Amino acid sequence: MDVVVVTGSAGLVGGEAVRAFASRFDLVVGVDNGMRRDFFGPAGSVADNLAAVERIPNYRHHRVDVRDHGALAAVIGEYGTDVRLVVHTAGQPSDEWATGQPLVDLGVNAVGTMNLLEAVRRHGPEAVVVLTSTTKVYGDAPDALPLVETATRWEIDPAHPYHEHGIDESLRADGGRRTFFGVSKLAADLAAQSYAGLLGLRVGVFRCGSVTGAGHAGVELDGFLSHLVRSAVRGAAFPVIGHGGKQVRDVLDARDLVEMFWHYYLDPRPGEVYLAGGGRERSASILELIARYEYLTGHEVPFEYVPEHRFADVRCWITDTRKFRRDYVDWRPAHDLDDIVRSVHERWVEVERFGLDGFPVNP
Ligand SMILES: NC(=O)c1ccc[n+]([C@@H]2O[C@H](COP(=O)([O-])OP(=O)(O)OC[C@H]3O[C@@H](n4cnc5c(N)ncnc54)[C@H](O)[C@@H]3O)[C@@H](O)[C@H]2O)c1
């Protein structure tokens, strides 16, 4: 039997991994304890995502905390050498949340990842493992690049080699300043590389920038595009925080990220680190995104500007994915920025109408 294990299976990336892989494996084993709600309150709940993946016939859920090594090892041990692929997405995803609770963040992101890697080593060492790391491991290094300010965005200076294709894996991950989230994710990222380098585990590290999609429970502290659209659909003010709203991110649809994992699984390169993002053509500043959203949907985005910027909120990040595309020539993102905006919008319109879990908000 071919088994894929997805941690964080009720979350954005995990949920899309379950949906994509249900038809490619005999059994999808999900691990998620719903902790996103503990981090962000009811608005961060992934209960509806969990209900959706639980309707998939070959999906089996384990409500396990990745910090609990024994329980996690028991899950991997139950399926043992049938486990072909492990997609590790369970995690605490917010810089700001980590600042308030660095020990919990470290436990979930770093220790949780070590627990998983150790369980795989002991019970299913032939499995391919993909790890969702983050560009936040680079801390504020992107802000030291030469930047230029235009009317609507911060941009990497056109004379700099990163301008045309974006930032690649050669950016320095040490030095500079980073949040505790960046620390816990870097610890996990390096641990994964060591499990590959020292012990031969077939682990790939994907440093993600801004990944989103219809399954994102966007809140103020995590998932800016989803939160922006959610606010607009509700008519609530969206806080544009710092940098004049000109900070730039490139956005990748979670479904396209999951297809990167699939290509990696078919031809794993142990210990390799890849940046994962939407690239220049899917990049936008907050101001540009608001304008695009209003144009595409006709909905106005009421926003309030907060001058003080967030710590380590870099002014411009655009991902160069050429390393991955050189190694996996068939991968191309299928969803452009407009598709992403539309699918997130449709999801929040549906939630506004029917409520989470399909229950009406105002029956
Ligand atoms: N979405 C992005 O833009 C982005 C960017 C960079 C990195 N990442 C990383 O990718 C991963 C997935 O991101 P996402 O956007 O899907 O996040 P998400 O919050 O939507 O999903 C994570 C899931 O993990 C679960 N979880 C949290 N703590 C847990 C624990 N202790 N035990 C078991 N389950 C737990 C949550 O309940 C949630 O369902 C995260 O590790 C995140 O740091 C995401």
Side-chain angles (χ1 to χ4, degrees):
M1 184 164 64
D2 292 340
V3 175
V4 54
V5 176
V6 179
T7 74
S9 52
L12 164 71
V13 179
E16 294 302 348
V18 172
R19 273 183 279 281
F21 296 152
S23 59
R24 304 179 203 178
F25 292 84
D26 299 320
L27 181 66
V28 185
V29 172
V31 173
D32 199 306
N33 67 350
M35 204 169 171
R36 188 174 170 92
R37 191 182 203 282
D38 301 340
F39 301 141
F40 307 125
S45 170
V46 289
D48 60 330
N49 282 353
L50 178 58
V53 292
E54 282 193 311
R55 284 194 283 274
I56 295 171
N58 61 336
Y59 176 81
R60 196 180 293 168
H61 192 71
H62 293 260
R63 192 179 180 87
V64 161
D65 188 328
V66 294
R67 292 173 296 177
D68 182 342
H69 174 64
L72 190 59
V75 172
I76 304 291
E78 186 176 336
Y79 306 97
T81 53
D82 285 343
V83 178
R84 309 276 177 254
L85 171 63
V86 179
V87 180
H88 181 45
T89 77
Q92 189 298 110
S94 161
D95 280 305
E96 278 178 303
W97 196 92
T99 306
Q101 305 258 15
L103 286 176
V104 179
D105 176 71
L106 191 80
V108 173
N109 288 348
V111 178
T113 300
M114 288 285 287
N115 284 342
L116 179 77
L117 293 165
E118 195 55 27
V120 171
R121 171 204 191 180
R122 301 237 171 253
H123 299 291
E126 291 304 315
V128 173
V129 182
V130 295
L131 187 82
T132 44
S133 184
T134 169
T135 55
K136 298 297 178 79
V137 300
Y138 299 109
D140 61 1
D143 252 359
L145 295 171
L147 300 175
V148 291
E149 186 177 4
T150 74
T152 60
R153 61 159 60 193
W154 286 99
E155 229 343 315
I156 301 168
D157 190 312
H160 193 278
Y162 284 157
H163 175 83
E164 188 180 355
H165 298 288
I167 299 168
D168 67 23
E169 292 82 357
S170 64
L171 192 69
R172 278 169 62 94
D174 49 2
R177 299 190 309 162
R178 66 177 53 66
T179 60
F180 290 115
F181 170 70
V183 171
S184 66
K185 295 295 279 188
L186 183 56
D189 181 314
L190 293 173
Q193 293 180 55
S194 292
Y195 270 88
L198 295 177
L199 300 168
L201 238 58
R202 301 195 289 168
V203 193
V205 175
F206 291 78
R207 292 184 179 157
C208 309
S210 296
V211 181
T212 196
H216 213 176
V219 290
E220 185 171 338
L221 296 185
D222 180 56
F224 75 95
L225 189 152
S226 173
H227 183 235
L228 185 155
V229 173
R230 188 179 201 175
S231 304
V233 168
R234 286 180 170 172
F238 173 74
V240 174
I241 302 175
H243 299 317
K246 296 182 183 180
Q247 56 273 57
V248 168
R249 298 291 182 271
D250 61 327
V251 183
L252 183 67
D253 191 297
R255 292 169 291 183
D256 286 323
L257 177 62
V258 166
E259 290 309 314
M260 292 177 104
F261 301 160
W262 177 248
H263 285 280
Y264 181 85
Y265 166 69
L266 295 177
D267 184 15
R269 291 171 161 79
E272 213 60 68
V273 176
Y274 296 105
L275 281 170
R280 174 163 287 287
E281 60 271 38
R282 289 169 192 75
S283 72
S285 69
I286 302 284
L287 295 182
E288 291 166 352
L289 192 61
I290 289 173
R292 194 72 202 154
Y293 175 77
E294 290 180 339
Y295 170 78
L296 287 172
T297 67
H299 276 246
E300 194 193 332
V301 180
F303 66 84
E304 56 192 25
Y305 183 63
V306 181
E308 185 68 18
H309 67 80
R310 289 169 159 151
F311 171 66
D313 179 21
V314 301
R315 286 169 293 169
C316 182
W317 179 280
I318 296 173
T319 314
D320 181 351
T321 54
R322 282 180 302 164
K323 177 181 174 188
F324 187 81
R325 287 188 281 128
R326 269 193 302 272
D327 286 354
Y328 301 94
V329 292
D330 292 332
W331 178 81
R332 286 280 177 286
H335 303 280
D336 66 20
L337 190 57
D338 288 357
D339 290 339
I340 297 171
V341 170
R342 280 198 199 91
S343 64
V344 174
H345 175 72
E346 281 160 19
R347 196 269 173 136
W348 287 126
V349 167
E350 195 178 308
V351 169
E352 204 47 27
R353 199 174 293 156
F354 300 113
L356 293 169
D357 279 336
F359 295 112
V361 185
N362 297 307

